[in-house]
Amino acid sequence: MSRPWRYCYKDVLPFCALVTVQFTEVGVNILFKEATNKGLSYYVFIFYSFAVSTLVLLLPLPFIFRSRSTGISPINFSIICNVFSLGLLVFSAQLCGYKGIEYSSPSLASAASNLVPAFIFILAVFFRMEKVDLRSSSTRAKILGSIASIAGALVVVLYKGPTILNDASPSQLHSLGSSQRNWVLGGFLLALAYILMSIWYILLTHIIKLYPSEMIVVFLCNLCGTIIAAPVCFLAEENLSAWILKPDITMVAVIYSAFFSTFFSTVVHTWALHLKGPVYVSIFKPLSIAIAAAMSVIFLGETLYLGSIVGAVIISIGFYAVIWGKGKEEELTEHENCTLSNLVYQSNSNDPLLRS
């Protein structure tokens, strides 16, 4: 591979792909909000999104990537239970997340999504997966970043402040006014959704160590989510006519969510994690706040408040502090491993038995 092509593949393509993912994820939330305003039941939306993404888009992936799965032991009962737990977690997170968007806004959802690294760090400490050394600058950065992220989320949820941008018509303002009465409830539902997603990431990391085939695990997780969603959503949405999708924005929202939110995002993140690592992938997350704020004002006519901007900035600072701390920790670990390898090599080189 020539140098220009290598540069494009290693740097330009991941950058463009991850920026595109942020736009598409915000687009899912925007379309969902607009579709529910048009009468789409969010139970119908969740079930169809799970079913289409699992059975149409994710089903072929294990066969496409089967060469990477060679030599992996068969799935046992313990793996099945763990994967079922993943499906339950992701389904519960979707229920809380989309209901939170329905009560609040896509902008709040994008801001709250940056809480995930802080929640993961707190849960990892709780489950003793993360070491806490207060003398270490990386640990202090992660602790302060987690506190800042949570404080920023509370600012977004509890403080609105003066209006910064308002492109709403009088009818939209009336609709938004009723929605804003549930703003706090929506914020806490979104926070709960991202706590569940943080637990999902920790459990997924554990399962991948036991069964190192990401695509198979992701497919089975979404399949379990579909199986769980079917009875819950059908019992919750008793109106049979609500299950008939019309060829309008409701159908577009379901298909768009299935393709971009699950399939495209999963493939890009898996590829980018393998190519560039988790820190590089994570730094694009706060971009969704600006995208969501702009698109919500333009397409939904939502009001942008000062509290949302201030809180989003605080969350982003906390987010980058946690990511910086994690990056420094990984650099230190790599340096220690390299030093240890050099010491072992030197020891072996000085051993007369090995030299003979």
Side-chain angles (χ1 to χ4, degrees), residues 21-22 52 56 61 92 110 117 124 143 146 149 160 191-192 201 224 232 234 238 250 260 276 283 290 332 345 349 356:
V21 164
Q22 297 307 314
V52 173
V56 178
L61 291 187
S92 303
S110 295
I143 292 173
S146 300
S149 295
K160 285 189 175 180
L192 178 58
Y201 279 119
C224 291
V232 173
F234 274 100
E238 299 177 349
T250 57
F260 286 106
K276 304 291 287 187
I283 62 176
L332 182 61
Y345 175 77
S349 299
S356 60

Side-chain angles (χ1 to χ4, degrees), residues 15 17 26 39 50 63 74 95 111 135 141-142 162 170 173 194 201 219 224 240 269 295 317 322 329 338 353:
F15 177 86
V26 172
F50 264 112
F63 300 99
L95 279 180
R135 295 171 298 178
K142 288 188 288 186
L173 283 172
Y194 290 118
Y201 279 119
F219 166 70
C224 291
L240 295 179
H269 280 141
M295 292 178 68
I317 293 171
V322 175
E329 193 175 73
C338 183
L353 292 176

Side-chain angles (χ1 to χ4, degrees), residues 22-351:
Q22 297 307 314
F23 274 96
T24 58
E25 288 183 349
V26 172
V28 170
N29 296 339
I30 297 285
L31 281 173
F32 166 77
K33 182 80 173 180
E34 184 65 21
T36 52
N37 289 341
K38 299 292 185 181
L40 175 65
S41 166
Y42 98 116
Y43 294 108
V44 173
F45 175 83
I46 289 173
F47 171 73
Y48 278 144
S49 296
F50 264 112
V52 173
S53 63
T54 302
L55 302 178
V56 178
L57 300 172
L58 285 173
L59 181 59
L61 291 187
F63 300 99
I64 296 172
F65 294 94
R66 66 184 182 276
S67 60
R68 296 181 61 183
S69 305
T70 56
I72 295 176
S73 58
I75 299 176
N76 55 37
F77 181 72
S78 175
I79 298 295
I80 292 174
C81 291
N82 283 319
V83 170
F84 186 83
S85 300
L86 282 178
L88 181 61
L89 282 170
V90 75
F91 170 69
S92 303
Q94 294 249 11
L95 279 180
C96 295
Y98 283 118
K99 181 57 74 172
I101 293 173
E102 189 176 332
Y103 283 152
S104 56
S105 75
S107 301
L108 181 58
S110 295
S113 69
N114 291 276
L115 287 167
V116 170
F119 285 152
I120 289 177
F121 171 67
I122 294 169
L123 290 168
V125 171
F126 180 78
F127 289 110
R128 297 185 177 181
M129 297 171 64
E130 190 89 22
K131 294 180 180 179
V132 177
D133 182 7
L134 295 178
R135 295 171 298 178
S136 169
S137 60
S138 61
T139 298
R140 292 197 298 268
K142 288 188 288 186
I143 292 173
L144 292 175
S146 300
I147 294 171
S149 295
I150 294 170
L154 290 175
V155 170
V156 172
V157 173
L158 301 178
Y159 171 71
K160 285 189 175 180
T163 300
I164 302 298
L165 282 175
N166 185 0
D167 192 34
S169 64
S171 61
Q172 286 174 319
L173 283 172
H174 177 74
S175 172
L176 288 169
S178 61
S179 156
Q180 288 159 11
R181 287 194 292 269
N182 296 316
W183 184 270
V184 174
L185 177 58
F188 282 114
L189 282 172
L190 287 168
L192 178 58
Y194 290 118
I195 289 174
L196 292 172
M197 285 306 299
S198 302
I199 299 172
W200 183 85
Y201 279 119
I202 289 176
L203 182 58
L204 177 63
T205 303
H206 172 70
I207 294 174
I208 290 298
K209 291 179 181 178
L210 300 176
Y211 194 83
S213 180
E214 298 91 341
M215 292 303 172
I216 292 177
V217 171
V218 168
F219 166 70
L220 292 176
C221 166
N222 280 273
L223 179 62
C224 291
T226 305
I227 294 170
I228 296 168
V232 173
C233 292
F234 274 100
L235 288 174
E237 182 52 72
E238 299 177 349
N239 182 12
L240 295 179
S241 62
W243 291 93
I244 302 173
L245 293 180
K246 299 177 182 178
D248 55 12
I249 192 168
T250 57
M251 183 177 291
V252 172
V254 168
I255 296 174
Y256 185 96
S257 172
F259 184 84
F260 286 106
S261 182
T262 303
F263 175 73
F264 179 72
S265 178
T266 299
V267 171
V268 169
H269 280 141
T270 303
W271 168 70
L273 283 168
H274 175 73
L275 189 68
K276 304 291 287 187
V279 174
Y280 184 85
V281 173
S282 300
I283 62 176
F284 288 85
K285 199 64 182 172
L287 180 63
S288 63
I289 300 175
I291 297 171
M295 292 178 68
S296 294
V297 171
I298 294 170
F299 295 108
L300 297 179
E302 291 190 344
T303 304
L304 182 63
Y305 295 98
L306 177 64
S308 298
I309 296 175
V310 173
V313 170
I314 296 173
I315 291 174
S316 298
I317 293 171
F319 171 88
Y320 281 121
V322 175
I323 295 302
W324 181 87
K326 192 65 180 174
K328 291 290 290 183
E329 193 175 73
E330 289 173 358
E331 286 179 11
L332 182 61
T333 302
E334 289 178 4
H335 177 71
E336 289 175 350
N337 291 338
C338 183
T339 303
L340 181 61
S341 299
N342 289 335
L343 288 173
V344 171
Y345 175 77
Q346 291 174 7
S347 175
N348 291 339
S349 299
N350 294 329
D351 191 333

